[in-house]
Amino acid sequence: NNGDEIKTIDVPIIAGHSGYAGSEDDKKRKSERNIKLLMMDLMENGASPYTYYQLGKSYYMQKDYEKASEYFEKGLEYDLNPKLEYVQDMVETYGYSLLNQKRIQEMMFLENVYNEFAVSVRLVLEIRMYVLCIMLLVIYLRFLLLAFITLFFI
C-alpha cells in the first residue's frame, strides 16, 4: 500500500473475471460502490498511492476524467516503483484522462516520463498523433484564412 515493491510468485492458477462486462449502468453502479469503499479506506487507513490509483480508475470508468486525473496526480506524487503493474497502468490511464480533457501541455510532459513507466508505446503514439492533428488543423485554418483574404480583398 505504501508503494514498496511487492514480492510475487508464479502459481499455475487461471482465474477469469467478468465483473465489469455488464451494461454501462452496471459499470457506473460498480464504480460508485468502489468510490464509496475507497473513500472509507482513505479515512480509515490514510492516503496511499494504490488507493489513489483505484479512485482514479473508478472515476475514469465513470468518464469523469477531471476527477480521475486528480486522483492519478495524487498517486503519482509518491516515489513509485515503475516496474509495478498498477503504477504502469496509473501512468497510462492518467495519460488517457488528460487526452480526454485535451490537456495538451500535461500530455506532452507525460510523454517524457512515459518510457520509464509504461509497458507499451500506444499512448505516446496517440499523444503524438493528437498533436500532429492539431498542427495540421492550424495549417489548414491559416490556408483558409489566406484564401478568404485573397478572394475578398485582393
Side-chain angles (χ1 to χ4, degrees), residues 91-108:
V91 171
E92 185 166 351
T93 312
Y94 176 50
Y96 283 113
S97 69
L98 294 174
L99 183 64
N100 282 302
Q101 296 174 78
K102 314 244 183 312
R103 291 168 57 182
I104 308 298
Q105 293 295 333
E106 288 142 299
M107 284 173 25
M108 296 308 293

Side-chain angles (χ1 to χ4, degrees), residues 29-113:
R29 279 192 299 278
K30 287 180 182 183
S31 62
E32 287 171 354
R33 176 208 60 202
N34 292 349
I35 290 168
K36 287 178 186 173
L37 292 171
L38 290 162
M39 290 299 194
M40 287 172 46
D41 181 64
L42 277 178
M43 290 173 49
E44 292 174 12
N45 300 311
S48 77
Y50 186 75
T51 303
Y52 286 140
Y53 159 70
Q54 289 295 345
L55 278 162
K57 289 290 279 191
S58 296
Y59 280 110
Y60 189 87
M61 273 183 55
Q62 291 185 338
K63 296 182 176 32
D64 186 344
Y65 303 118
E66 189 174 329
K67 272 285 206 204
S69 295
E70 177 185 325
Y71 284 102
F72 290 140
E73 288 165 8
K74 287 181 179 186
L76 291 168
E77 288 176 359
Y78 290 79
D79 184 23
L80 301 169
N81 180 348
K83 292 185 170 105
L84 295 175
E85 187 175 337
Y86 90 89
V87 174
Q88 295 169 357
D89 188 53
M90 180 166 35
V91 171
E92 185 166 351
T93 312
Y94 176 50
Y96 283 113
S97 69
L98 294 174
L99 183 64
N100 282 302
Q101 296 174 78
K102 314 244 183 312
R103 291 168 57 182
I104 308 298
Q105 293 295 333
E106 288 142 299
M107 284 173 25
M108 296 308 293
F109 172 75
L110 190 60
E111 180 182 12
N112 295 331
V113 298

